[in-house]
Amino acid sequence: MRQLVEQPWEWLQDNSGRIILLVATIIIAAVVVKVVSKGLRIALDKSNIPSASIFVNIVRVLIWVIAISLILQPVFGINPTTLMTALGVGGIAVSLGLKDTIANIVSGFGLMLGKVLKPGDLVTIQGVSGTVKDVTWRHTIVMDRSGVEMWVPNSVLNTAALEKLPPAAEAMATIPFTARGGKRLDTQAISERIITAVTAATEDIMLPDNPPLVKFNGFSPYGVEGQVLVFTKPGVLLSTMQDRAARAIAHEGFLVQNAAGTEGITA
């Protein structure tokens, strides 16, 4: 170090070989990491193994560890075996400090290899529904329809309730209504009118091959209680679908507009 400060040119001449080896190793390792990462992602996409970044990141770390171990002795004069022994002794203390990280990594591998979870799955985790965007070292990233990302620690997924949803279930929104009438109420005619109106208003944002459904589920002092079930295509907020569907049936004469008010009920 003193020679570097006082005689930098001589230091560079004396250590030029080491510097060239260090730079060359870094460049080669960076190129290998880029090529292998790209190739691994392509291979994962063509295989049954989930294409999550946790696998790619592990390979990247391994490549850099190998590259560093190759230059420790010739460049820095450090015996790799001695370093590994030192790391092994200190590994116990480090593992205690990184126990949560280790738990998340192990849990992430378990989720991936067990095919419990993979990018693209529609899930509900802790009350939040969305699409699995990625599984990283520590977290599983779930993005809902509004673009909000929820980062869930991988270790939590081993204990928390996890629901995998079909596309229609994740896309479903409901609009409750009350139809006035009594024994003579024609529920079939009402269903057809609601479906026609809602389909016309939401056709451009409707999930393909999933038309609206009408279900009647009980009675109240104001009439027959029901729900319109609508299914929204990806990229559209459920609230947008609900708004359109509600507006489409808002002025239907058979609906109770204010069930909590004093409107009469036609039998």
Side-chain angles (χ1 to χ4, degrees):
M1 182 62 68
R2 183 176 179 180
Q3 184 185 15
L4 175 61
V5 175
E6 297 179 353
Q7 298 173 319
W9 181 247
E10 292 184 6
W11 183 88
L12 287 175
Q13 287 181 325
D14 294 340
N15 296 277
S16 59
R18 295 183 179 184
I19 295 173
I20 293 173
L21 178 60
L22 175 62
V23 173
T25 302
I26 292 175
I27 293 174
I28 293 172
V31 172
V32 171
V33 165
K34 186 174 182 179
V35 173
V36 172
S37 297
K38 185 176 181 180
L40 184 58
R41 288 189 182 277
I42 295 174
L44 289 174
D45 290 338
K46 294 181 179 180
S47 68
N48 293 325
I49 302 175
S51 181
S53 64
I54 187 171
F55 294 112
V56 179
N57 289 335
I58 288 292
V59 173
R60 286 175 176 170
V61 170
L62 289 176
I63 292 173
W64 281 111
V65 168
I66 293 172
I68 292 172
S69 64
L70 291 175
I71 62 174
L72 279 176
Q73 183 70 43
V75 175
F76 300 103
I78 300 174
N79 190 326
T81 305
T82 304
L83 181 60
M84 293 301 176
T85 302
L87 291 176
V89 173
I92 298 176
V94 173
S95 63
L96 291 176
L98 298 177
K99 62 180 181 178
D100 292 337
T101 299
I102 295 173
N104 286 325
I105 293 174
V106 173
S107 297
F109 268 107
L111 293 171
M112 291 292 94
L113 296 178
K115 298 183 180 179
V116 177
L117 205 63
K118 64 181 183 296
D121 282 349
L122 297 172
V123 298
T124 294
I125 301 173
Q126 296 181 337
V128 177
S129 297
T131 303
V132 177
K133 184 178 178 181
D134 196 4
V135 180
T136 67
W137 288 94
R138 293 175 55 86
H139 303 90
T140 293
I141 306 173
V142 179
M143 184 169 63
D144 66 16
R145 283 177 172 262
S146 63
V148 176
E149 293 183 354
M150 180 174 69
W151 293 56
V152 185
N154 293 332
S155 58
V156 172
L157 296 179
N158 284 332
T159 56
L162 171 65
E163 297 180 49
K164 298 183 74 172
L165 306 174
E170 188 272 337
M172 185 177 70
T174 60
I175 301 91
F177 67 87
T178 302
R180 71 173 70 243
K183 297 180 180 179
R184 300 177 183 178
L185 182 67
D186 189 346
T187 56
Q188 182 62 33
I190 289 176
S191 297
E192 291 176 357
R193 287 179 61 178
I194 291 177
I195 290 174
T196 299
V198 171
T199 299
T202 64
E203 189 171 8
D204 61 321
I205 60 173
M206 185 188 306
L207 187 68
D209 302 321
N210 286 269
L213 300 175
V214 175
K215 291 188 176 182
F216 294 95
N217 49 29
F219 299 88
S220 75
Y222 305 100
V224 180
E225 302 289 337
Q227 288 183 327
V228 185
L229 278 61
V230 287
F231 305 91
T232 315
K233 70 180 183 181
V236 180
L237 297 177
L238 297 182
S239 58
T240 300
M241 172 64 86
Q242 290 174 315
D243 178 72
R244 286 206 195 178
R247 290 174 184 271
I249 64 174
H251 302 293
E252 294 288 350
F254 55 80
L255 297 180
V256 178
Q257 300 298 322
N258 184 14
T262 58
E263 272 190 275
I265 300 176
T266 302

